[in-house]
């Protein structure tokens, strides 16, 4: 056992499966037990009864944290070596227009290596804390979250429910108020893609949802459903809570793998597309369902350039890697 206390009317016990682990490359299972004061703690191997338990597996950190819900916010417990005077806490990761992630920090005092604080209503997913130079990173153990973060399922329902689901995902991941996010379905058609087919060759319906946050940053999710299957059998097959590149706009085409070594370019509102890949190039007509099919580039999508045009020949959008490399590697800015 590493820690035990009563906080806000609940008994909190923090343990590690091997508190003597010294190799930082080895993963350690940290656990938080939450129960009513005076409730007997079960012996090893017994049923936990009314005790709630939350686990987190991480390399041995120099400091650990437990984020557990209490009313509309989360209590955050940080444990560090005795003598540590303060901890820096940041609860939200906000995508900025230049494609970076921004954070605001607050410094809180620690007493005997312990700090309790209240976070924003984001659960533990976006919380990052740092204790001097000893630790800088995410929460070790996430408890009962104030917002449903995972799992989420675009495709478990249809239509506007997809918009609600993806708005909830973006709000949960980045700490936005749900009401501040605008979302809409930008595409909903049957498309000959192969990535998501179930092996029967049945047609696949692609639903694309775009969400915009108050600062104008875009997020895009898409889900594929096999036509003819019962509602509720779909699952998340694409989409991300990563902020899209500032080079991206709502007219940028979506490129998915098609049949027989082709790419399907989804480009609603476009009349034609122009593509270049290495020494090859071509122009394809966009059909009534808003997509066109082009050969797969030999070097992969990194070698592919696609531009879409309306009937008057005006450029609508350009395909680009949707997510910047820096953001892709650490989308919630949890690492230094």
């Amino acid at each position: 056992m590493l820690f035990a206390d009563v906080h806000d009317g609940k008994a909190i016990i923090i343990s590690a499966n091997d508190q003597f682990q010294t190799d930082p490359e080895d993963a350690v299972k940290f656990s938080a037990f939450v129960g009513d004061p005076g409730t007997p703690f079960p012996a090893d191997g017994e049923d936990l009864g009314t005790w709630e338990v939350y686990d987190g597996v991480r390399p041995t950190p120099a400091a650990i944290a437990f984020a557990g819900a209490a009313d509309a916010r989360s209590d955050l417990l940080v444990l560090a070596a005795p003598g540590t005077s303060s901890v820096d806490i940041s609860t939200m990761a906000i995508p900025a227009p230049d494609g970076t992630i921004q954070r605001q920090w607050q410094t809180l005092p620690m007493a005997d290596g312990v700090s309790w604080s209240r976070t924003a209503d984001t659960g533990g997913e976006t919380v990052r804390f740092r204790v001097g130079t000893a630790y800088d990173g995410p929460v070790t153990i996430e408890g009962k979250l104030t917002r449903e973060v995972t799992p989420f399922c675009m495709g478990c329902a249809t239509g506007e429910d997809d918009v609600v689901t993806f708005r909830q995902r973006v709000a949960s991941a980045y700490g936005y108020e749900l009401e501040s996010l605008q979302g809409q379905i930008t595409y909903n058609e049957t498309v000959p893609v192969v990535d998501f087919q179930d092996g029967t060759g049945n047609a696949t319906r692609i639903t694309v949802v775009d969400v915009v946050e108050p600062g104008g940053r875009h997020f895009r999710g898409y889900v594929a459903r096999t036509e003819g299957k019962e509602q509720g059998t779909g699952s998340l097959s694409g989409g991300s809570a990563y902020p899209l590149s500032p080079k991206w706009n709502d007219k940028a085409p979506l490129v998915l793998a098609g049949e027989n070594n082709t790419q399907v370019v989804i480009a609603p509102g476009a009349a034609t597309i122009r593509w270049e890949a290495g020494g090859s190039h071509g122009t394809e007509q966009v059909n009534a369902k808003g997509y066109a099919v082009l050969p797969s580039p030999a070097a992969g999508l990194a070698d592919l350039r696609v531009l879409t045009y309306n009937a008057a020949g005006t450029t609508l959008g350009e395909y680009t890697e949707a997510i910047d490399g820096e953001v892709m590697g650490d989308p919630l800015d949890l690492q230094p």
Side-chain angles (χ1 to χ4, degrees):
M1 183 176 69
L2 301 177
F3 174 83
D5 195 8
V6 175
H7 181 76
D8 274 359
K10 288 292 184 179
I12 311 290
I13 298 173
I14 307 294
S15 70
N17 69 337
D18 184 0
Q19 64 267 45
F20 302 108
Q21 180 62 260
T22 58
D23 185 351
E25 299 301 321
D26 287 344
V28 175
K29 180 180 179 181
F30 296 94
S31 300
F33 301 87
V34 181
D36 295 323
T39 303
F41 195 77
D44 186 36
E46 292 184 3
D47 186 272
L48 288 171
T50 60
W51 285 88
E52 298 175 339
V53 61
Y54 308 98
D55 295 321
V57 178
R58 295 192 183 280
T60 308
I64 68 172
F66 166 60
D71 57 64
R73 295 177 179 263
S74 288
D75 283 327
L76 180 67
L77 167 66
V78 178
L79 304 176
T84 304
S85 61
S86 64
V87 56
D88 296 323
I89 305 292
S90 175
T91 62
M92 292 174 61
I94 301 299
D98 64 357
T100 61
I101 303 294
Q102 297 180 346
R103 284 185 171 274
Q104 293 181 335
W105 294 85
Q106 58 178 323
T107 300
L108 302 173
M110 300 192 77
D112 298 323
V114 178
S115 173
W116 281 103
S117 63
R118 305 302 297 278
T119 75
D121 53 350
T122 58
E125 186 178 19
T126 57
V127 175
R128 174 175 157 188
F129 73 103
R130 57 193 183 196
V131 179
T133 59
Y135 180 80
D136 185 347
V139 165
T140 313
I141 312 167
E142 293 182 19
K144 185 187 299 180
L145 301 181
T146 57
R147 284 179 173 165
E148 186 66 26
V149 176
T150 53
F152 75 106
C153 180
M154 287 180 63
C156 290
T158 59
E160 290 303 314
D161 287 338
D162 284 337
V163 177
V164 172
T165 299
F166 197 55
R167 286 175 61 231
Q168 289 173 338
R169 173 59 180 165
V170 173
S172 295
Y174 290 93
Y176 295 112
E177 293 298 328
L178 184 63
E179 295 74 18
S180 73
L181 299 175
Q182 302 298 314
Q184 62 177 337
I185 293 176
T186 56
Y187 191 79
N188 186 27
E189 296 286 352
T190 302
V191 176
V193 296
V194 296
D195 280 359
F196 314 117
Q197 288 183 0
D198 60 2
T200 65
N202 289 335
T204 301
R205 177 170 292 274
I206 299 291
T207 303
V208 179
V209 178
D210 285 340
V211 166
V212 181
E213 54 89 55
R217 300 284 284 130
H218 285 81
F219 301 79
R220 168 170 283 184
Y222 61 91
V223 65
R225 297 180 178 87
T226 302
E227 293 281 67
K229 290 209 170 184
E230 295 180 5
Q231 180 176 331
T233 58
S235 62
L236 178 72
S237 51
S240 168
Y242 300 164
L244 295 172
S245 166
K247 299 187 294 292
W248 186 91
N249 62 69
D250 58 6
K251 299 297 185 183
L254 177 68
V255 179
L256 301 173
E259 300 169 332
N260 300 319
N261 198 32
T262 61
Q263 299 292 326
V264 175
V265 180
I266 296 174
T272 58
I273 67 167
R274 171 78 178 172
W275 59 272
E276 299 176 2
S280 302
H281 57 84
T283 300
E284 311 290 343
Q285 189 77 25
V286 176
N287 65 24
K289 288 191 174 184
Y291 72 85
V293 179
L294 56 90
S296 294
L301 294 185
D303 190 38
L304 178 65
R305 184 179 185 223
V306 177
L307 293 98
T308 61
Y309 304 89
N310 63 15
T314 303
T315 302
L316 292 178
E318 178 178 356
Y319 167 76
T320 182
E321 291 292 334
I323 305 163
D324 285 339
E326 181 179 346
V327 174
M328 171 70 91
D330 186 16
L332 294 182
D333 188 41
L334 293 173
Q335 303 298 332

